[in-house]
Every structure is written in structure tokens, then in C-alpha cells.
């Protein structure tokens, strides 16, 4: 009888406990991963809400300034490119200014 009980423990209960332990360990691993994903999602959602709140403030300020700003009338001045190029050529050939072609408002002389 003792031998039968010993064989029952070795061949039935021991493998059954191993399977139950492995299933429990796997379930614990999945639960831990799920909790980690939930925390990451909650953190990302909170950051998104904070960013939306910051951007919302900026948009409200922009819309406020757009509403309170004055409309300014302006006159568009069109210039002819060939006239501009010829005036630049005259400036560079005059000798007293060594302006580069990209700079039109800064005149300087070499000492």
C-alpha cells in the first residue's frame, strides 16, 4: 500500500504540481506585462492631455490676438528685376562701395 501511494505521488501528483506551477508562473508573467502596458498607456494619455492643454492655451492666445489686432492697409510695391540688377551693377562699379550682390542695405568702404 505504501508503494502504491509513493508511485501515485511520484507519477501523478508531482507532474500535476509542476503543470499547475508553470501555468501560474505564465499567468503571473502575462498579468505583469499587461499591468506594465496599462501604466505606459495611462502615462502617454496623461502627457497627451498636458500637451493638448498647453497647445490649447497657445491657440487661445493666438485667437485672442487675432481678434484684438487691427487690420493694417498696405501697398504692395512691385519692382522690375532688370532695373534692380542694373542699379546693383552701378553701385559695384562706382568704386566707393564694395557691396556683395546679396547685400543691398549695408554699404561699407574698405579702409
Amino acid at each position: 500500500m505504501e508503494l502504491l501511494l509513493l508511485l501515485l505521488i511520484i507519477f501523478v501528483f508531482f507532474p500535476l504540481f509542476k503543470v499547475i506551477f508553470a501555468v501560474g508562473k505564465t499567468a503571473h508573467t502575462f498579468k505583469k506585462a499587461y499591468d506594465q502596458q496599462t501604466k505606459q498607456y495611462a502615462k502617454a494619455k496623461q502627457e497627451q492631455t498636458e500637451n493638448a492643454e498647453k497647445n490649447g492655451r497657445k491657440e487661445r492666445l493666438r485667437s485672442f490676438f487675432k481678434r484684438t489686432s487691427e487690420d493694417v492697409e498696405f501697398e504692395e510695391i512691385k519692382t522690375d528685376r532688370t532695373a534692380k540688377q542694373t542699379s546693383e551693377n552701378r553701385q559695384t562699379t562706382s568704386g566707393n562701395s564694395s557691396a556683395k550682390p546679396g547685400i543691398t542695405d549695408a554699404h561699407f568702404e574698405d579702409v
Side-chain angles (χ1 to χ4, degrees):
M1 183 74 174
E2 292 177 5
L3 183 63
L4 190 59
L5 185 62
L6 186 62
L7 289 175
L8 182 69
I9 290 173
I10 291 174
F11 290 109
V12 175
F13 290 129
F14 185 68
L16 185 65
F17 287 136
K18 282 180 74 175
V19 168
I20 291 173
F21 180 74
V23 168
K25 188 175 179 182
T26 304
H28 177 72
T29 304
F30 279 117
K31 183 179 178 189
K32 192 174 181 181
Y34 178 76
D35 289 341
Q36 184 179 9
Q37 289 292 327
T38 305
K39 286 178 184 178
Q40 287 178 353
Y41 176 76
K43 184 178 178 182
K45 191 73 168 175
Q46 182 181 9
E47 288 176 0
Q48 184 180 14
T49 305
E50 289 173 359
N51 287 340
E53 184 179 322
K54 287 179 184 177
N55 291 338
R57 288 182 197 156
K58 290 179 184 177
E59 289 299 321
R60 286 193 302 267
L61 283 174
R62 286 184 189 142
S63 66
F64 172 75
F65 284 119
K66 284 181 184 177
R67 286 192 313 258
T68 59
S69 64
E70 298 178 6
D71 291 333
V72 179
E73 293 183 14
F74 65 94
E75 180 180 337
E76 188 173 334
I77 301 173
K78 294 185 179 182
T79 59
D80 188 22
R81 289 186 179 204
T82 57
K84 187 176 181 180
Q85 290 175 352
T86 57
S87 66
E88 286 179 358
N89 289 339
R90 284 185 208 140
Q91 285 179 355
T92 56
T93 57
S94 65
N96 61 355
S97 67
S98 61
K100 295 180 181 176
I103 302 172
T104 59
D105 62 342
H107 300 285
F108 57 93
E109 296 179 7
D110 288 332
V111 178

